[in-house]
Amino acid sequence: MKVNELREAFIEYFQEREHRPIPSASLVPHGDPTLLFTTAGMVQFKPYFLGLERPPAPRLTSIQRCFRTSDVEEVGDDDHLTFFEMLGNFSIGDYFKSEAISWSWEFLTDVLEIPGDRLWATVYVEDDEAYELWSAIGLPDERILRYTAEQGNWWGPPGDTGPMGPCSELHYDWGINTGCETCDVGSCHPDEGCGRFLEIWNLVFMQYELLDDGSQRDLPAANIDTGAGLERLASVLQAEKSVYMTDELKMLITQAESITGHEYDPANYETAFALRAMSEHARAFTFLVTDGVLPSNEGRGYVLRRLIRRAVYFSRKLDVHANFFAKMVATAIDISLPNNPDLHDNRQFLLDLADSEESRFRATLDRALSLLEGVLEESRATGIISGKDAFTLYDTHGLPPELTREVALSHGFQVDLTEFEVEMEEQRERSKNSSDNDQQTDVAKHYAAVGIASEFVGYADLTSSSTIRFIETASDRIELASDEISVIFDQTPFYPEGGGQISDTGTVSSERGQGLVIDVQRFGESIVHRIKVTSGHFADSDSVDCEVDPARRLNISRNHTATHLLHSALRSVLGEHVRQAGSYVGPDYLRFDYTHPQALADDELEALTEIVSSKTRANITSATLELPYEEAIERGAIAFFEDRYTADVRMVEYCDTRGHAPEHEHSDHCYSRELCGGTHLSSTGLLGDFLILSDSSIGAGLRRIEACTGDAASIELRGQLKTLRDVAHKLQTNYKDILPRIEALEGNITALESELKQHQSSSAEQLAQNLAEQAKRLGDTNLLLVETTSTQSQLREISDELQSEFDSLILVLAGTSDQSTSLLVSVSEDLISKEIDSRSLVANITDITGGGGGGRPQLAQAGIKDSSRLREAYAQVEGLLRAQLMD
């Protein structure tokens, strides 16, 4: 059975058992800072297991793309992968152990026709129920093993905290492994690790939650989370012990063979390892970048860069010194395209990024090897390269530790790998995303436990007559001020913060109280209003009138609509690789974070502005549709960074056919079509002016545009025009002639600077001639100790002039200008062998005068704190030099 046939068979089997198929989530986890990557199929379902959100169905199934950093160093062996796909079926408080066990057995033995006598099961040591269920299926006792958590039969949580529980694993038996002592005596089992057994499915009985303090508590319901590795299961079905010989990955191995000229032969371990690593990392790169991860020196980008470097390192071991990685990525795209059509739009971007990153690293690698030669020279006395040096070469210069060790061994050196691992562990801790949402999660659990659902009616109405269903005073929650309360209404027009959009504000009033709504948040089904009481009081079951601030809502809606138009404009101008990486939508401005590797040119910024403005002038009417997620994606909707899968979604469209002068009059083309729960304009004409305020880098491959619309943009434009008029007035010209006027002034300044430089050079030459006459003779050497009023740059010119005048010279120059004193010391080449060093002389002087600096033996510079002690310092230096040179 081919890999794709396995995908189809799995989903079809569980669909027949009333499981709703869920698309794979991004490799970048949604709203979960406890995780760097999506590591398991259950990650996107954590809120359902914790009872914080209602699932789209009680039974779910998915084929989830996963990435695990823990396996990077193992990639290259027969079965480890950083990137893989996980087949999973999930129950949210519906079925439990009996169904999970019986269905896994039926799927493996009946659908996939894996012989039952090849399967072993392990259960948690205390899980008698699971043991009995496997026994009832027909597994003999000797193939049902009780394992501890340390042996792998306790799963989770997928971060520092979260859902977890005992598990039961299914292992495939390849048969007796020749050379394994326990196999020979008939006592081998999966935990022996001899290669005889392959774990193919893990059934997790998700019952508990691990808390921050290390304690655990029961989840709201008992759940099922299963995961079967697609590639591993395919290897069993295709009778290949290595996952790299399954039909999809094998095509990557073939491409690697073509590039390197080396044949894949498992018996040639070093070569086979390298070919597998090159192949796996190219596929992982393809999906990480597609999900918005770009190379950088921290977090997810650091992990991605590490994969590229590792692939290049292994290619170098196979004598590949030209760029190859883009070819491997192209093959990974071709293999995966049938199930991942979005790879088509990103293809060129992926290839260009792979090629440029490899070129950058190859240049870095050459420099790193040169630096390693220096480290070897410095370590010659001990014959050991310190772990700190090895880590610096790896972390800063990208030199893999394997290559450091290999080069070291060729010179008869060792590497302190223990110290290196200590440094690596500290780096891993730094690379972890810090979990700063623990308090937010606790608040979410608090309100989820209240169990009161709120209806949001604010898309159509800015007012409502509502009833208080829950009220919480400051005395119950210490973070609230004394005159603030938290309230849940049965229905509300106030938009709760989400999708990058901040919450509405406004007023609430009842017969006995009035208040200002200052913040609104959604926790599960509850919409919680933070209200500042201005008069009277509120109580449970009160009827209240709610009113959203209309002007503020309009400005927020303007900016949210603008983010949609801007997102589409970015993809039009820069390419389909652009992905949203975060946003802020407020009443005063918008912020849009996106993936792109370089700064935008002026013409690109102008093009973005013109596109958004043209859509505004067209006054396109919006359309908002509620429809199934799958249908929305088929229609071309873009899912924003903050969106999570739900069965039915809200899609906001701005189609040219609904505006003036439509560009696609007879089609259903929409310039902007996105899944979004935010508030939007009924037509783009209400957006008003649109102005990009800035485009800046916020990290490697990540950029941020800040912009404004409506009244804020008009005010900003008027301010800019006033500044332009003021500048024109200062320059005594018309605003249209400002640039020519500035260019003329710049020309005059350049000419004046050139004249000044010539004058200063002439002055430096004359001063050098005068100073030369003051030189003292110390044997065959000339000594000049001078104080001047020269600038730091002039000191260098004087030094160059004087050094050209003498065969052997020690020059100490101090220049005082602008209330600061600079020191320059230069020593001619013939004195270096006599152990006269500019740096030492600078240190002797600054020990007396204060300050500090550095440089080379021939030339060093410093800043002086107390110039009044220069003569004292000069006298000491002259004494030292006389003793050294006249001895």
Side-chain angles (χ1 to χ4, degrees):
M1 181 180 286
K2 301 294 186 184
V3 171
N4 208 40
E5 294 172 333
L6 175 56
R7 291 188 182 100
E8 294 172 356
F10 184 84
I11 293 298
E12 180 181 346
Y13 178 85
F14 282 101
Q15 270 190 290
E16 291 173 352
R17 284 148 188 81
E18 301 177 338
H19 287 66
R20 184 185 185 94
I22 304 296
S24 174
S26 169
L27 289 173
V28 178
H30 163 89
D32 190 347
T34 67
L35 292 175
L36 206 58
F37 295 103
T38 298
T39 57
M42 62 75 59
V43 167
Q44 65 171 316
F45 305 137
K46 276 177 66 175
Y48 308 148
F49 292 136
L50 293 171
L52 301 180
E53 295 182 19
R54 182 180 300 172
R59 298 182 180 187
L60 308 170
T61 185
S62 70
I63 302 176
Q64 175 63 51
R65 298 189 298 274
C66 300
F67 186 91
R68 292 183 181 172
T69 58
S70 57
D71 293 333
V72 172
E73 297 301 334
E74 283 72 34
V75 168
D77 64 7
D78 280 336
D79 56 11
H80 275 95
L81 301 166
T82 59
F83 172 81
F84 58 95
E85 292 179 75
M86 186 71 80
L87 308 171
N89 60 286
F90 309 87
S91 165
I92 316 298
D94 186 12
Y95 61 84
F96 201 46
K97 294 181 184 179
S98 177
E99 293 87 344
I101 287 174
S102 63
W103 285 338
S104 64
W105 182 262
E106 183 179 54
F107 179 71
L108 292 175
T109 59
D110 291 356
V111 177
L112 302 185
E113 299 181 350
I114 295 175
D117 58 6
R118 289 279 188 173
L119 297 176
W120 293 53
T122 62
V123 300
Y124 185 58
V125 286
E126 299 173 3
D127 194 346
D128 294 334
E129 181 184 3
Y131 191 100
E132 292 169 2
L133 287 167
W134 284 119
S135 181
I137 275 179
L139 269 179
D141 290 347
E142 63 270 18
R143 298 215 311 272
I144 310 173
L145 308 178
R146 292 182 184 268
Y147 275 4
T148 63
E150 290 73 22
Q151 291 174 294
N153 274 69
W154 186 278
W155 191 93
D160 295 330
T161 61
M164 62 180 187
C167 62
S168 180
E169 294 181 338
L170 278 165
H171 299 261
Y172 181 78
D173 184 357
W174 290 104
I176 291 174
N177 191 358
T178 305
C180 170
E181 294 180 2
T182 51
C183 281
D184 290 342
V185 298
S187 62
C188 196
H189 59 94
D191 197 41
E192 288 290 334
C194 74
R196 171 178 171 178
F197 296 94
L198 179 69
E199 179 200 334
I200 57 175
W201 206 333
N202 190 7
L203 314 178
V204 182
F205 310 127
M206 198 77 75
Q207 300 168 259
Y208 310 106
E209 178 186 5
L210 182 65
L211 305 178
D212 288 331
D213 61 5
S215 63
Q216 68 182 46
R217 64 184 176 194
D218 291 345
L219 290 170
N223 310 291
I224 288 294
D225 157 31
T226 83
L230 174 71
E231 293 83 359
R232 288 189 175 193
L233 200 49
S235 73
V236 170
L237 298 176
Q238 296 175 26
E240 296 285 355
K241 289 196 73 171
S242 171
V243 295
Y244 291 94
M245 288 294 97
T246 55
D247 59 291
E248 290 188 359
L249 283 169
K250 189 174 183 178
M251 287 187 271
L252 276 165
I253 294 291
T254 301
Q255 175 65 292
E257 287 179 312
S258 174
I259 289 169
T260 64
H262 288 268
E263 183 179 350
Y264 179 79
D265 179 6
N268 186 344
Y269 184 77
E270 292 293 329
T271 298
F273 194 99
L275 293 172
R276 290 189 290 249
M278 291 165 61
S279 301
E280 199 280 341
H281 292 339
R283 188 173 74 142
F285 169 93
T286 299
F287 283 96
L288 284 172
V289 175
T290 297
D291 278 352
V293 181
L294 293 174
S296 71
N297 289 326
E298 58 185 18
R300 299 181 181 99
Y302 177 83
V303 175
L304 176 63
R305 181 160 279 169
R306 187 177 170 198
L307 297 186
I308 302 166
R309 290 172 171 180
R310 198 166 182 268
V312 173
Y313 162 64
F314 280 112
S315 76
R316 191 184 179 102
K317 291 193 72 172
L318 298 182
D319 296 321
V320 176
H321 299 284
N323 282 14
F324 76 97
F325 200 58
K327 293 179 182 178
M328 296 294 299
V329 170
T331 301
I333 293 171
D334 293 339
I335 292 168
S336 307
L337 198 57
N339 294 291
N340 301 275
D342 53 334
L343 293 177
H344 173 76
D345 293 334
N346 285 328
R347 184 185 188 92
Q348 195 57 50
F349 175 73
L350 286 164
L351 299 181
D352 290 345
L353 183 63
D355 196 56
S356 64
E357 189 67 20
E358 180 178 6
S359 296
R360 186 179 295 111
F361 176 57
R362 284 192 180 276
T364 300
L365 188 59
D366 290 338
R367 290 195 297 272
L369 289 171
S370 177
L371 289 170
L372 176 56
E373 292 296 329
V375 171
L376 287 168
E377 184 62 33
E378 292 175 0
S379 307
R380 190 166 299 282
T382 62
I384 298 174
I385 295 176
S386 72
K388 186 167 290 188
D389 282 339
F391 178 76
T392 299
L393 287 168
Y394 174 61
D395 186 57
T396 305
H397 304 288
L399 191 65
E402 300 92 343
L403 188 52
T404 299
R405 186 169 63 248
E406 184 176 314
V407 174
L409 288 172
S410 70
H411 287 75
F413 283 66
Q414 298 294 322
V415 178
D416 188 341
L417 295 178
T418 301
E419 186 182 27
F420 176 83
E421 283 304 320
V422 170
E423 296 287 334
M424 278 295 295
E425 184 58 34
E426 291 177 1
Q427 172 69 322
R428 291 186 191 105
E429 290 300 316
R430 290 193 294 270
S431 295
K432 286 182 180 179
N433 278 13
S434 60
S435 175
D436 57 1
N437 73 333
D438 292 340
Q439 183 179 1
Q440 185 77 356
T441 300
D442 289 341
V443 173
K445 292 174 183 175
H446 170 77
Y447 287 116
V450 171
I452 295 176
S454 309
E455 180 187 2
F456 176 65
V457 297
Y459 291 130
D461 299 304
L462 298 184
T463 62
S464 73
S465 296
S466 305
T467 301
I468 294 178
R469 298 284 308 282
F470 173 84
I471 187 167
E472 190 169 54
T473 65
S475 59
D476 295 324
R477 297 189 63 75
I478 59 174
E479 76 270 25
L480 299 179
S482 60
D483 58 349
E484 292 180 359
I485 57 175
S486 294
V487 175
I488 301 175
F489 301 117
D490 60 339
Q491 62 176 13
T492 178
F494 294 99
Y495 179 82
E497 180 178 334
Q501 179 176 327
I502 67 172
S503 72
D504 284 330
T505 60
T507 60
V508 292
S509 59
S510 68
E511 291 183 354
R512 49 186 174 182
Q514 292 184 327
L516 300 176
V517 175
I518 58 176
D519 185 49
V520 188
Q521 300 288 331
R522 179 187 289 277
F523 300 108
E525 303 296 315
S526 301
I527 299 176
V528 181
H529 306 70
R530 201 169 175 193
I531 298 173
K532 184 180 181 66
V533 180
T534 55
S535 66
H537 67 279
F538 295 90
D540 194 23
S541 301
D542 276 0
S543 295
V544 297
D545 293 322
C546 302
E547 183 174 358
V548 174
D549 182 338
R552 187 172 182 276
R553 164 69 81 84
L554 176 59
N555 286 330
I556 291 173
S557 297
R558 281 172 170 154
N559 284 328
H560 206 150
T561 292
T563 63
H564 284 218
L565 298 178
L566 176 62
H567 191 186
S568 294
L570 282 164
R571 291 168 69 87
S572 296
V573 173
L574 304 180
E576 297 295 321
H577 66 275
V578 170
R579 299 177 69 91
Q580 181 184 355
S583 67
Y584 166 86
V585 178
D588 45 355
Y589 80 107
L590 67 91
R591 185 178 68 228
F592 191 86
D593 300 340
Y594 63 101
T595 56
H596 191 60
Q598 67 261 351
L600 302 192
D602 288 342
D603 61 335
E604 291 172 326
L605 289 170
E606 291 173 6
L608 294 175
T609 301
E610 175 52 31
I611 288 172
V612 175
S613 297
S614 70
K615 301 305 176 184
T616 301
R617 292 191 298 269
N619 197 26
I620 300 170
T621 302
S622 69
T624 303
L625 306 175
E626 297 278 348
L627 69 171
Y629 175 91
E630 290 77 10
E631 183 179 342
I633 298 302
E634 286 177 7
R635 289 171 64 121
I638 297 173
F640 267 69
F641 179 82
E642 292 91 348
D643 288 335
R644 181 189 295 282
Y645 173 87
T646 55
D648 294 313
V649 295
R650 183 173 185 265
M651 183 175 71
V652 179
E653 294 182 341
Y654 287 97
C655 301
D656 296 309
T657 52
R658 301 192 187 101
H660 299 305
E663 295 180 13
H664 303 272
E665 194 168 354
H666 302 294
S667 75
D668 64 350
H669 174 82
C670 287
Y671 188 72
S672 172
R673 179 180 271 151
E674 302 198 7
L675 307 187
C676 185
T679 63
H680 287 273
L681 300 173
S682 59
S683 62
T684 58
L686 295 171
L687 193 144
D689 292 319
F690 173 78
L691 181 65
I692 293 178
L693 302 172
S694 66
D695 174 66
S696 59
S697 172
I698 57 171
L702 287 175
R703 302 200 63 77
R704 170 173 292 169
I705 283 180
E706 293 187 355
C708 56
T709 63
D711 295 340
S714 297
I715 293 170
E716 178 67 25
L717 285 168
R718 287 197 297 271
Q720 291 183 7
L721 287 171
K722 183 180 183 305
T723 300
L724 196 62
R725 287 194 298 269
D726 291 344
V727 171
H729 179 71
K730 287 282 186 183
L731 295 175
Q732 298 181 339
T733 188
N734 184 287
Y735 84 92
K736 293 182 180 179
D737 296 325
I738 286 177
L739 280 179
R741 179 71 173 138
I742 290 175
E743 288 169 356
L745 289 172
E746 287 176 339
N748 292 337
I749 292 171
T750 300
L752 289 171
E753 287 176 341
S754 178
E755 290 179 17
L756 179 62
K757 188 173 182 180
Q758 290 176 1
H759 174 71
Q760 289 174 338
S761 178
S762 176
S763 299
E765 184 178 350
Q766 183 61 49
L767 182 57
Q769 291 174 0
N770 294 337
L771 292 175
E773 300 173 359
Q774 303 176 26
K776 300 177 181 180
R777 296 286 294 182
L778 301 180
D780 295 331
T781 301
N782 297 283
L783 172 64
L784 261 174
L785 300 162
V786 182
E787 292 182 63
T788 74
T789 57
S790 303
T791 64
Q792 190 171 15
S793 61
Q794 289 172 326
L795 293 180
R796 184 64 182 265
E797 292 180 14
I798 294 169
S799 172
D800 291 343
E801 287 287 338
L802 286 169
Q803 286 291 351
S804 66
E805 289 287 325
F806 296 95
D807 293 330
S808 180
L809 174 67
I810 301 170
L811 175 64
V812 180
L813 276 173
T816 301
S817 62
D818 298 329
Q819 298 180 339
S820 65
T821 301
S822 299
L823 180 72
L824 181 146
V825 178
S826 66
V827 174
S828 53
E829 285 289 340
D830 65 300
L831 297 170
I832 303 301
S833 61
K834 297 180 180 181
E835 297 185 356
I836 295 177
D837 189 319
S838 292
R839 296 170 298 185
S840 298
L841 296 176
V842 163
N844 289 331
I845 293 171
T846 54
D847 281 347
I848 297 172
T849 63
R856 297 176 291 110
Q858 295 87 348
L859 180 70
Q861 292 176 281
I864 298 297
K865 286 186 177 180
D866 186 357
S867 59
S868 67
R869 300 191 66 185
L870 266 173
R871 291 191 179 184
E872 177 188 346
Y874 278 9
Q876 178 173 310
V877 166
E878 183 175 349
L880 290 171
L881 291 172
R882 282 187 181 277
Q884 187 171 355
L885 293 172
M886 302 295 288
D887 187 5

